[in-house]
């Protein structure tokens, strides 16, 4: 099956809607919708998005996941298993009006089956620019409510604003995963705030009250700074870049 086909089917089943009902909402034929759900036909992203909105699914739900996040991340076929409800004795339903149920009928689902599955194992981590404005996001795995050992809601990516850390293999627009830390870590690349701006710098402790902030663009630079003049935001643990 296709991811968007899975998502359409899963949301339809969660809302206990028939193929006929959804097809009418979306302005498509039952046969077309059935083929999309079964992976026999490919549906355009904008058309799938329109049908999902007609069913009441928001572009960004309460957990902040977009349709692209959900469709690209969750294997929806493993989340919901279709099961026909036995028709009433006095009247049988055609295949197109078969109603489906999830595996666990006693579960009180408020955000959707797919959302429950996604939010329990993944976290939408923001990508922040130099003025700490969110410009993008990434999905990262969560273990026991933590990412890389830090509280999941405190972790973020910082988009390198320049090439001042070139010598430390961090280039402009690289994404640096930052874990919170409000004190200097000797030898670590950290996100700091000083002189009224935020920057990535390699930290070297000099003594109890001073550190050396190291950068390396075309040439190496080391600036001694007193701790009272600095704010430590976090430690960089990994860097992502695009080819």
């Amino acid at each position: 099956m296709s991811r968007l086909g899975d998502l359409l089917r899963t949301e339809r089943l969660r809302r206990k809607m028939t193929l006929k009902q959804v097809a009418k909402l979306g302005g498509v034929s039952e046969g077309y919708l059935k083929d999309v759900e079964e992976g026999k036909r490919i549906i355009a992203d904008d058309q799938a998005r329109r049908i999902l909105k007609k069913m009441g699914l928001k572009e960004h739900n309460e957990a902040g996941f977009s349709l692209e996040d959900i469709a690209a991340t969750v294997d929806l076929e493993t989340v919901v298993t279709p099961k026909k409800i036995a028709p009433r004795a006095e009247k049988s339903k055609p295949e197109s009006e078969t109603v489906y149920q999830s595996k666990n009928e006693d579960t009180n689902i408020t955000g959707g089956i797919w959302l429950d599955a996604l939010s329990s194992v993944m976290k939408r981590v923001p990508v922040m620019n130099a003025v700490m404005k969110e410009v993008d996001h990434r999905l990262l795995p969560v273990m026991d409510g933590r990412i890389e050992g830090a509280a999941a809601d405190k972790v973020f990516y910082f988009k390198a604003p320049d090439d001042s850390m070139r010598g430390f293999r961090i280039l402009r627009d690289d994404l640096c995963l930052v874990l919170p830390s409000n004190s200097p870590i000797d030898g670590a690349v950290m996100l700091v705030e000083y002189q009224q701006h935020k920057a990535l710098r390699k930290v070297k402790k000099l003594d109890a009250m001073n550190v050396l902030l190291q950068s390396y663009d075309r040439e190496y630079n080391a600036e001694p700074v007193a701790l009272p003049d600095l704010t430590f935001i976090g430690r960089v643990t990994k860097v992502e870049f695009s080819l």
Side-chain angles (χ1 to χ4, degrees):
M1 289 189 178
S2 69
R3 295 292 186 181
L4 287 174
D6 284 344
L7 182 55
L8 282 166
R9 180 173 68 90
T10 300
E11 194 61 23
R12 177 174 68 81
L13 304 186
R14 185 176 74 84
R15 296 173 185 272
K16 296 182 171 60
M17 298 178 72
T18 65
L19 277 167
K20 183 177 182 180
Q21 290 171 326
V22 175
K24 185 176 180 181
L25 273 178
V28 298
S29 69
E30 289 179 55
Y32 172 77
L33 183 60
K34 185 173 184 291
D35 285 348
V36 168
E37 289 190 1
E38 293 177 353
K40 296 177 181 177
R41 300 184 71 170
I42 301 299
I43 187 170
D45 290 354
D46 58 345
Q47 187 177 29
R49 191 177 291 111
R50 178 172 56 82
I51 295 174
L52 288 164
K53 286 182 180 178
K54 289 283 188 180
M55 283 193 280
L57 183 62
K58 296 178 181 178
E59 178 71 13
H60 286 271
N61 54 61
E62 62 273 19
F65 296 114
S66 67
L67 303 186
E68 287 79 3
D69 293 337
I70 298 159
T73 307
V74 179
D75 185 357
L76 295 166
E77 192 172 7
T78 67
V79 177
V80 172
T81 298
K83 180 178 67 176
K84 291 184 181 180
I85 298 176
R88 294 180 180 178
E90 68 272 18
K91 182 180 180 180
S92 60
K93 292 184 178 180
E95 176 63 24
S96 63
E97 295 187 9
T98 299
V99 179
Y100 292 81
Q101 292 178 325
S102 63
K103 289 181 179 179
N104 186 355
E105 297 176 17
D106 297 326
T107 302
N108 181 21
I109 300 175
T110 57
I113 296 170
W114 47 264
L115 178 57
D116 294 339
L118 180 60
S119 60
S120 64
V121 296
M122 303 294 290
K123 170 70 177 176
R124 187 179 188 271
V125 177
V127 175
M128 314 300 282
N129 64 12
V131 295
M132 299 305 282
K133 178 181 179 181
E134 183 174 347
V135 293
D136 201 353
H137 70 273
R138 293 287 187 273
L139 290 178
L140 290 181
V142 177
M143 294 287 289
D144 298 325
R146 306 180 79 80
I147 296 175
E148 300 282 330
D153 61 344
K154 302 295 184 183
V155 174
F156 63 92
Y157 280 97
F158 183 75
K159 190 173 184 178
D162 51 41
D163 287 330
S164 63
M165 295 294 284
R166 178 196 303 268
F168 299 109
R169 297 187 296 178
I170 299 175
L171 301 179
R172 181 176 181 176
D173 293 335
D174 284 353
L175 302 184
C176 303
L177 183 64
V178 178
L179 307 189
S181 177
N182 57 13
S183 59
I185 301 174
D186 193 40
V189 173
M190 302 190 71
L191 177 60
V192 300
E193 182 172 3
Y194 76 115
Q195 296 179 351
Q196 298 184 334
H197 77 281
K198 295 174 178 64
L200 296 167
R201 293 293 184 264
K202 188 170 183 179
V203 175
K204 179 177 177 58
K205 289 183 179 180
L206 296 178
D207 53 44
M209 293 301 296
N210 297 276
V211 296
L212 201 63
L213 298 183
Q214 304 169 83
S215 59
Y216 200 149
D217 188 352
R218 298 299 177 183
E219 57 185 38
Y220 175 76
N221 182 60
E223 181 181 359
V225 182
L227 290 182
D229 297 332
L230 273 174
T231 298
F232 292 92
I233 299 172
R235 176 182 185 177
V236 174
T237 60
K238 62 174 62 175
V239 179
E240 296 182 12
F241 60 92
S242 301
L243 296 176

